Amino acid sequence: MSTPITIQFTVNGKPREVLSPPERPLLEVLREDLALTGSKYGCGEMQCGACSVLVDGRRQFSCRMPMSSAAGKAVRTIEGLAKQNAGDQGGTESLHPVQQAFLDEAGFQCGYCTCGMIMTAVELLEKTPAPDDAQISAAMNRNLCRCCAYPNIIAAVRKAATIAEESRKSSREIE
Amino acid sequence: MKSPAAANDEAMHLSRPLPDDEELVDQVPFHFDVGRRTFLQLLGSGLLIAVSTSEKSNAQERGGRRGGGQAIPVAGRLHIGKDGAITVFTGKVECGQGSRAELTQAAAEELRVAPDRITLLMADTDTVPDDGGTAGSRTTPSTVPAVRAGCAAARDLLIAAAAKTWGSDPAGIVIANGSATSSDGSRHYAYADLAADEAAAQTLGDTVPDDVTLTVIPEWKTLGKPLARPNGPDIVTGTHAYPSDITRPGMLYGHVLRPPAYTAKLVSIDLAAAEAMEGVTVVRDGEFVAVAAPNSWLAREAGAALAKSARWETSPHPASNTLSEHLRTTAHDLPENPHAEETAAAKTTVRETYTIAYVQHAPMEPRAAVAEWGADGKLTVWTGTQMPFRVRSELARAFKVSENSVRVIVPDFGGGFGGKHSGECAVEAARIAKAAGKPVKLRWTREEEFTWAYFRPAAVIEAEASLDVDGKLTSWHFVNINAGGNGIDSPYHCGKKHTRSVGADAPLRHGSYRSLAVTGNTFARECLMDELALAAGTDPLAFRLAHLESGRLRDVLVEAAEKFGFADRWKNKAPSVGVGIACGLDKGSYVAACAEISVSENSIKVNHVCQAYECGKILNPQNLVAQVEGAILMGLGPVLREETTFEGGRITNAAFSRYAVPRFADVPTLDIHLLDRPDLPSVGAGETPLIVVAPAIGNAVFHTTGRRLRDMPLRLG
């Protein structure tokens, strides 16, 4: 049994410090120590993508990422995607375009894979803003959905690209 | 081996047809103002409409209590708060199939309110009626009508109360947007008014008839239209708490020591190393050895220490590479073909054997449970199961407490597919929690799920059919060994038919699965029909049509064939692609599919699936398409690759890296044609669309390669 060490990193922009064995998977620290349960366990062997998070902007399978590798890195999870609306008394959120698109296109059935799907799609669209279906399928292929909501997920990613493009256009017009 | 893990599960008896359709049906007699106390605590005062929970529990409760008629057990179907808040209760669960949206629609329709006015409380055994398990595609045909009836009763009550208040004729009162309006439009009476008017509810309660009138289809405003999953925002933001996400104050994480093989018996174990770990509680009760620890890392470390010292004794267990032979030789009472006379007189007889491998549901969320014992001895378990009330019974039996001392809460969970009918993980979590004296979460690993959950039964199917000189079927003999008799009857005209399902010595624990045995039975039947068509010298579509009466099955077959252009594509074969067709029925719905495949280097690629499906009146077209597509794609797995392999009592591919389920790259062009039949009752659609995928593909493989594959998964190499 290895000795716990202090590890500092940021999660959704907030600095965090945890005491953990260095080999402990990031997923378990997020879920059990930081109460961020949006990232899921599905297989523990980087095969299903339910645990996908972004680490320094790149999709990682947090189920197999040791905490030592997360030290000093910026981790982004599903909980950090929606924007808290400033000045809103009710504490409402604006969904990220990918979240909105998954909602609009019903890109899930049971939804257990959804957070991992969304994080993977966020990475894809940051690299490839207007992917075709083949690019979507290839980029998402390491994520599993046992309900096989694949057609709606592909539609959601396509839609997310459109939403993001429209919002880029409208912000250019405002400028 | 007689499936040791299944010993405490009645649903898993081997060697008999599986109870896929087993369901308690809500009887819907209404009793007003009964059992209010619980609900007042939960929801505040207001109007409660309750239903008796089931015939079975009625009888048990009546026998067990004094006072006769006073003791009819009820559970709330619907509560209307004085603030107008509407809560609808159901024992059904949501695990991706769309019950939450559909039952919300059902309630909204009859109450004549917008769906977002409804809060649907699902599967909490302390609060909801036992609507039976979520299985057998029963939510649509039985729970939707039950919810509609309860809500229609509330609507009738609103009209009656408004009429009484106004001293007017109920006939002129219109209900819309949750409020009754007088015939001249001047007065309004809302559900909130009804809930506040206790006298109205009391006096009118007795007058509400049992046979409430449901809203007719032409007047539907919510049913028959798309409705997204009401808690969708919680799904996309990650805020929905699945069973494996539930956290309780002071909660520990559990880990169970698993035997290295199905037949292994624990000889000795040294608990000391694990017990010495800080914060770790070790539980040992005979063969059951487990730990609880402050986090799952530590629980696994302690588990590894236990495993290291454990000594086991194993005994032989069949291997998957001899499975078909094993099932055939251990089959119970394998019948002979009784149609010897017809076979002798036939122009042609085709006799073939088909096999179906063991496969698993592999839901994205493995089994998970959080168990907490209250100071009063009451056990509460949050878990992902399709059978909340059955799991409550399982827990009550396991801990020798009354069912009232157990509460099972089922948050919307991560996939079922027939694979979560049992409560073994809930029992384990409660066992560890009891010993640790703290709430415990136990979430199975993928390997545990692939090993200790149950499987879709493997099958060997023996079939023999004969044709006369005109190419008409004269006899049909069809025997399923091990998998069961669901969907075993052939819909085709035939002089003599004999179908049987027989048990065998099943090496793995088996249980329900989306469509269960219907998939294998349909695969064998529809492939045999293709073989017979060839023997009769006719095309597969014409041969089927020649043996089908007009009706729903024929309708979907014709629809799929026309939309796909089957007749032409089959006759004018394109190079390197094959097309196949199949049809079938199950649980009151009808399906046909055409598939186009191509083959390269012994690998089968499915390019296109065109499916026609009919399940009566469509309740939610958006969800229905999702179910049909999901079923087709899930069905591709056991056709192309999925097969549970085992040797020496161990599953040898208990991981997604070795058990390849469908991925994005496998998705073919999908072409779904739904036939809406407002003249027919709505039936469930989560299963049947799966059954024709395998034979359509198998027949397409034959079309292009000339090779007839009779074993699932289909392999050319």
Side-chain angles (χ1 to χ4, degrees):
Chain A
M1 220 167 64
S2 69
T3 318
I5 56 165
T6 300
I7 297 167
Q8 291 170 328
F9 61 129
T10 71
V11 181
N12 300 325
K14 282 185 205 144
R16 297 282 198 167
E17 187 177 289
V18 296
L19 186 66
S20 167
E23 311 93 321
R24 197 168 159 223
L26 170 62
L27 176 68
E28 291 178 10
V29 171
L30 291 173
R31 291 178 54 82
E32 298 175 14
D33 296 11
L34 305 178
L36 297 170
T37 54
S39 310
K40 311 294 186 202
Y41 168 91
C43 68
E45 53 160 357
M46 305 196 290
Q47 288 290 320
C48 80
C51 65
S52 298
V53 298
L54 303 184
V55 179
D56 287 350
R58 290 196 53 201
R59 186 273 285 273
Q60 299 288 348
F61 297 94
S62 65
C63 72
R64 287 295 283 273
M65 184 175 199
M67 266 319 289
S68 53
S69 304
K73 304 267 171 66
V75 176
R76 203 170 167 202
T77 72
I78 189 76
E79 289 88 351
L81 282 193
K83 274 192 197 130
Q84 209 69 38
N85 289 333
D88 189 311
Q89 297 298 314
T92 60
E93 292 179 328
S94 293
L95 295 180
H96 184 282
V98 179
Q99 290 174 312
Q100 189 61 52
F102 270 73
L103 196 56
D104 294 347
E105 297 296 321
F108 52 84
Q109 289 184 23
C110 82
Y112 191 81
C113 70
T114 305
C115 296
M117 290 283 179
I118 289 175
M119 296 315 289
T120 308
V122 168
E123 188 206 32
L124 165 68
L125 295 176
E126 283 173 4
K127 281 196 227 155
T128 313
D132 61 25
D133 284 5
Q135 287 172 309
I136 295 171
S137 174
M140 307 289 290
N141 203 45
R142 295 181 74 186
N143 290 56
L144 286 178
C145 170
R146 287 296 288 140
C147 303
C148 294
Y150 297 125
N152 284 14
I153 296 172
I154 294 171
V157 179
R158 225 188 283 134
K159 172 89 180 273
T162 314
I163 297 175
E165 174 58 21
E166 277 164 10
S167 96
R168 274 193 298 275
K169 261 190 214 157
S170 66
S171 63
R172 275 199 296 273
E173 279 159 19
I174 291 163
E175 282 163 18
Chain B
M1 186 191 75
K2 293 289 178 187
S3 297
N8 65 346
D9 194 326
E10 290 172 0
M12 302 305 148
H13 283 318
L14 303 176
S15 309
R16 70 176 171 91
L18 294 151
D20 192 51
D21 290 299
E22 188 182 80
E23 251 256 334
L24 298 168
V25 179
D26 198 343
Q27 300 299 313
V28 208
F30 297 101
H31 305 274
F32 289 83
D33 210 13
V34 189
R36 288 183 79 124
R37 204 174 44 199
T38 325
F39 286 88
L40 297 186
Q41 285 166 354
L42 184 77
L43 297 158
S45 61
L47 175 72
L48 177 75
I49 292 184
V51 292
S52 76
T53 49
S54 73
E55 285 294 295
K56 189 177 136 220
S57 61
N58 277 353
Q60 284 170 348
E61 291 277 337
R62 282 193 191 114
R65 284 194 198 177
R66 288 170 296 156
Q70 294 300 311
I72 296 170
V74 292
R77 173 64 77 203
L78 168 68
H79 179 271
I80 301 172
K82 287 180 179 171
D83 57 355
I86 299 168
T87 310
V88 176
F89 304 91
T90 178
K92 291 295 183 190
V93 304
E94 172 64 84
C95 51
Q97 80 283 26
S99 56
R100 186 174 284 282
E102 191 179 78
L103 294 172
T104 300
Q105 286 177 286
E109 186 61 62
E110 297 302 341
L111 290 166
R112 310 238 163 97
V113 299
D116 61 10
R117 284 273 316 271
I118 310 280
T119 300
L120 186 70
L121 204 154
M122 303 180 84
D124 172 348
T125 60
D126 266 14
T127 10
V128 303
D130 181 357
D131 289 319
T134 303
S137 290
R138 297 302 302 167
T139 300
T140 296
S142 63
T143 314
V144 166
V147 167
R148 288 180 66 189
C151 294
R155 184 194 67 220
D156 288 350
L157 203 57
L158 184 72
I159 296 176
K164 194 179 176 210
T165 307
W166 299 331
S168 68
D169 180 2
I173 295 174
V174 176
I175 299 196
N177 298 322
S179 185
T181 303
S182 60
S183 51
D184 62 0
S186 67
R187 286 175 293 185
H188 302 281
Y189 188 89
Y191 282 113
D193 300 321
L194 175 66
D197 186 352
E198 300 225 1
Q202 292 281 354
T203 51
L204 294 163
D206 297 330
T207 67
V208 175
D210 283 351
D211 53 341
V212 291
T213 308
L214 303 183
T215 306
V216 293
I217 295 172
E219 289 173 22
W220 281 3
K221 293 194 169 47
T222 308
L223 281 170
K225 296 181 174 58
L227 180 73
R229 185 164 161 182
N231 55 351
D234 297 340
I235 304 288
V236 301
T237 53
T239 48
H240 169 67
Y242 289 81
S244 56
D245 298 332
I246 297 288
T247 303
R248 301 292 300 163
M251 186 182 83
L252 301 176
Y253 294 79
H255 179 95
V256 177
L257 178 74
R258 301 291 175 192
Y262 289 126
T263 57
K265 297 272 164 229
L266 187 61
V267 177
S268 70
I269 188 165
D270 181 0
L271 310 181
E275 279 172 337
M277 292 182 182
E278 199 185 328
V280 171
T281 304
V282 179
V283 183
R284 174 156 192 205
D285 181 5
E287 296 263 314
F288 182 76
V289 185
V291 297
N295 61 49
S296 46
W297 169 264
L298 204 53
R300 272 199 312 279
E301 295 270 298
L306 289 174
K308 213 169 156 187
S309 78
R311 297 287 168 268
W312 305 87
E313 204 170 77
T314 59
S315 47
H317 185 266
S320 49
N321 60 6
T322 57
L323 177 63
S324 297
E325 196 190 322
H326 175 83
L327 292 177
R328 209 183 278 106
T329 53
T330 61
H332 312 152
D333 307 322
L334 196 58
E336 289 295 313
N337 185 349
H339 309 310
E341 221 171 282
E342 286 75 12
T343 311
K347 176 168 182 282
T348 320
T349 296
V350 178
R351 180 178 183 168
E352 296 298 347
T353 300
Y354 302 84
T355 68
I356 316 294
Y358 278 111
V359 297
Q360 216 184 38
H361 322 74
M364 287 305 294
E365 184 180 36
R367 280 163 167 68
V370 173
E372 179 172 308
W373 293 87
D376 55 356
K378 181 150 181 169
L379 170 64
T380 302
V381 178
W382 291 259
T383 190
T385 177
Q386 297 172 246
M387 303 278 169
F389 286 87
R390 190 190 284 176
V391 169
R392 181 179 70 169
S393 304
E394 211 174 320
L395 287 160
R397 277 200 309 276
F399 297 98
K400 299 185 175 57
V401 295
S402 75
E403 295 200 346
N404 290 335
S405 303
V406 181
R407 179 182 188 183
V408 173
I409 302 172
V410 183
D412 293 10
F413 59 97
F417 318 114
K420 289 179 180 167
H421 287 196
S422 48
E424 56 286 269
C425 181
V427 172
E428 288 169 351
R431 211 165 170 182
I432 307 169
K434 198 172 187 190
K438 283 185 178 168
V440 164
K441 166 147 63 186
L442 179 67
R443 192 257 307 128
W444 282 17
T445 63
R446 180 57 57 190
E447 187 183 3
E448 286 177 303
E449 184 72 26
F450 264 129
T451 307
W452 300 101
Y454 53 86
F455 300 84
R456 184 175 80 180
V460 173
I461 297 169
E462 312 268 17
E464 184 170 16
S466 55
L467 296 169
D468 65 14
V469 285
D470 301 322
K472 294 278 188 216
L473 282 168
T474 54
S475 76
W476 183 269
H477 168 71
F478 191 101
V479 181
N480 183 314
I481 303 170
N482 195 54
N486 314 61
I488 201 169
D489 293 330
S490 165
Y492 299 107
H493 271 303
C494 179
K496 299 251 175 150
K497 286 198 244 189
H498 173 249
T499 55
R500 269 283 288 285
S501 155
V502 299
D505 178 12
L508 298 186
R509 177 190 184 198
H510 61 210
S512 192
Y513 182 103
R514 202 173 195 176
S515 289
L516 192 56
V518 189
T519 299
N521 286 329
T522 304
F523 169 70
R525 185 191 72 231
E526 292 297 304
C527 289
L528 182 62
M529 285 298 283
D530 250 48
E531 304 198 44
L532 289 160
L534 185 74
T538 174
D539 82 68
L541 174 62
F543 183 72
R544 282 175 174 79
L545 292 174
H547 290 89
L548 275 183
E549 277 177 47
S550 60
R552 298 168 75 180
L553 185 59
R554 196 184 168 100
D555 290 349
V556 289
L557 182 63
V558 168
E559 177 79 1
E562 281 179 1
K563 288 287 187 323
F564 184 79
F566 181 80
D568 187 50
R569 289 169 76 173
W570 188 83
K571 202 171 144 203
N572 306 308
K573 215 156 120 181
S576 72
V577 301
V579 297
I581 194 166
C583 63
L585 66 150
D586 185 34
K587 301 182 178 79
S589 74
Y590 297 79
V591 65
C594 298
E596 184 208 274
I597 64 111
S598 51
V599 170
S600 83
E601 292 174 1
N602 284 336
S603 160
I604 300 162
K605 167 89 179 146
V606 181
N607 304 319
H608 181 192
V609 176
C610 171
Q611 184 169 113
Y613 181 57
E614 187 261 292
C615 56
K617 173 62 194 163
I618 296 171
L619 296 182
N620 182 336
Q622 179 191 39
N623 188 60
L624 180 56
V625 171
Q627 284 302 300
V628 172
E629 290 182 343
I632 293 170
L633 296 175
M634 190 179 198
L636 290 179
V639 182
L640 300 177
R641 294 187 300 257
E642 286 180 46
E643 176 186 13
T644 297
T645 54
F646 50 96
E647 196 178 354
R650 289 178 177 84
I651 301 297
T652 51
N653 60 348
F656 280 137
S657 53
R658 280 165 285 159
Y659 182 98
V661 298
R663 289 181 180 269
F664 280 96
D666 296 308
V667 178
T669 302
L670 294 175
D671 203 356
I672 311 298
H673 302 278
L674 302 176
L675 278 63
D676 193 15
R677 289 288 301 267
D679 55 320
L680 295 168
S682 310
V683 297
E687 305 186 68
T688 306
L690 190 149
I691 65 175
V692 286
V693 177
I697 294 170
N699 292 336
V701 171
F702 177 78
H703 186 235
T704 185
T705 64
R707 284 180 61 191
R708 180 57 69 180
L709 303 183
R710 300 186 185 89
D711 306 297
M712 276 178 67
L714 306 176
R715 287 194 186 104
L716 282 162

